[in-house]
Amino acid sequence: LLLVLDPYAFGARRITDPQAMVLLISVFVCTFVLPGFAVALMKPLGLIKSLQMHDKQDRIGPYIVSGVFFLWLVKNLLSDGQTPRLFVVFTLGATIGLFLAFLINIFSKISAHAVGMGGFVAMLLLMVVHWNESGVVIPVPGGILQISLLVVLALGIVLAGLTGTARLVLRAHEPADVYRGYVVGILAVLIANLAI
């Protein structure tokens, strides 16, 4: 979303430029591919009972492994010096949220889905504050469609609500787990915004 809004801040003219693609691939590898591969290895090694990780004890190892890769990404973005501040804030916020979810998971259950969605809503809110006049440009047949960031924020809030509702309908969490997740996600991004 940041690349779509301001590719020039990333040293690119558009999201398909090499600089932008390298960043997107780096983020995808560090936050999805490597943690996913590591967690998938934990099952045959007997470190977790199931890939669904219904038991909170099963989540400890995956949280730690994912946290290491997230920290590595944040360290690389900070040492790069060319990555826009908000992008680093959001990456650090995701990392803080992950570690807070890990700590809370030791004592109680928390919805990691809600942590992610809370962080996403906080990210959108910061984007509205920083780029209140910008919008998301979507190419459509015959032209372009520009959507206000306030509309994107509203859609993000609806998506967060749907995600929390889905977790409750699936009986994966109690309402308190979901609310804790939203609060942790929002606080994590706000803490990262103050730290950087």
Side-chain angles (χ1 to χ4, degrees), residues 132-153:
N132 58 356
E133 304 211 3
S134 294
V136 177
V137 177
I138 302 170
V140 294
I144 59 168
L145 175 66
Q146 185 163 352
I147 302 172
S148 162
L149 276 180
L150 288 173
V151 172
V152 175
L153 174 62

Side-chain angles (χ1 to χ4, degrees), residues 73-158:
L73 177 63
V74 169
K75 183 226 172 270
N76 287 328
L77 292 176
L78 283 170
S79 64
D80 175 13
Q82 296 179 355
T83 307
R85 179 188 172 278
L86 273 182
F87 193 83
V88 179
V89 165
F90 301 149
T91 308
L92 179 60
T95 306
I96 292 170
L98 191 140
F99 279 108
L100 287 174
F102 163 72
L103 290 172
I104 292 169
N105 180 69
I106 293 170
F107 305 103
S108 176
K109 201 169 178 189
I110 186 169
S111 170
H113 288 84
V115 172
M117 292 309 292
F120 180 64
V121 167
M123 178 193 87
L124 291 174
L125 186 60
L126 286 177
M127 288 173 66
V128 166
V129 169
H130 287 279
W131 289 315
N132 58 356
E133 304 211 3
S134 294
V136 177
V137 177
I138 302 170
V140 294
I144 59 168
L145 175 66
Q146 185 163 352
I147 302 172
S148 162
L149 276 180
L150 288 173
V151 172
V152 175
L153 174 62
L155 290 172
I157 291 169
V158 168

